[in-house]
């Protein structure tokens, strides 16, 4: 059974940085894509980044492009989300999820992390 354990969320001031980690275990698939999602209270879940399975190519939504960066350590089965120049609107519950391809569509993701809270506030 595939499990995703996410960590790294905390409170930070605007302009600060955080790195989230998503550890995938139990996968029988040697390669997988990972999508990143977030949800703020009263708002719909937003897919904002993904990293592909074959060449680790990454895609970013306009809302985070240039500030967020996704990378993968295949030996550790871990995907990292580096978030820089954080803004108040980046606050929310962050999730990672696995999929067969790099996509921001939640419905294509089969396994999800438990979520970690990111709060950006002065």
């Amino acid at each position: 059974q595939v499990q995703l354990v996410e960590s790294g969320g905390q409170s930070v001031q605007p302009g600060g940085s955080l790195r989230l980690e998503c550890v995938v275990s139990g996968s029988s698939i040697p390669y997988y894509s990972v999508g990143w999602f977030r949800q703020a209270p009263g708002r719909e879940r937003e897919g904002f980044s993904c990293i592909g399975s074959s060449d680790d190519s990454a895609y970013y939504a306009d809302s985070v492009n240039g500030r967020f960066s996704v990378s993968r350590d295949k030996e550790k089965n871990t995907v990292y989300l580096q978030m820089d120049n954080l803004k108040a609107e980046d606050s929310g519950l962050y999730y990672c999820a696995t999929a067969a391809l790099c996509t921001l569509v939640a419905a294509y993701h089969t396994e999800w992390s438990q979520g970690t809270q990111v709060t950006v506030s002065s």
Side-chain angles (χ1 to χ4, degrees), residues 75-90:
E75 291 187 359
K76 295 183 179 179
N77 265 6
T78 301
V79 176
Y80 303 97
L81 175 66
Q82 177 67 40
M83 304 185 292
D84 298 320
N85 191 21
L86 284 161
K87 306 175 181 179
E89 52 263 41
D90 293 320

Side-chain angles (χ1 to χ4, degrees), residues 10-79:
Q10 60 180 286
S11 295
V12 64
Q13 292 187 343
S17 297
L18 283 177
R19 188 177 81 160
L20 304 185
E21 295 187 4
C22 176
V23 180
V24 182
S25 62
S27 175
S28 61
I29 302 174
Y31 300 106
Y32 46 82
S33 295
V34 174
W36 287 92
F37 298 81
R38 63 186 180 185
Q39 188 167 20
R43 301 185 65 178
E44 293 186 356
R45 181 171 50 186
E46 173 194 16
F48 61 86
S49 183
C50 61
I51 185 167
S53 60
S54 58
D55 59 0
D56 284 349
S57 59
Y59 176 81
Y60 304 93
D62 290 343
S63 57
V64 305
N65 194 27
R67 300 187 298 121
F68 290 11
S69 177
V70 180
S71 61
R72 180 205 301 262
D73 186 332
K74 290 184 177 179
E75 291 187 359
K76 295 183 179 179
N77 265 6
T78 301
V79 176

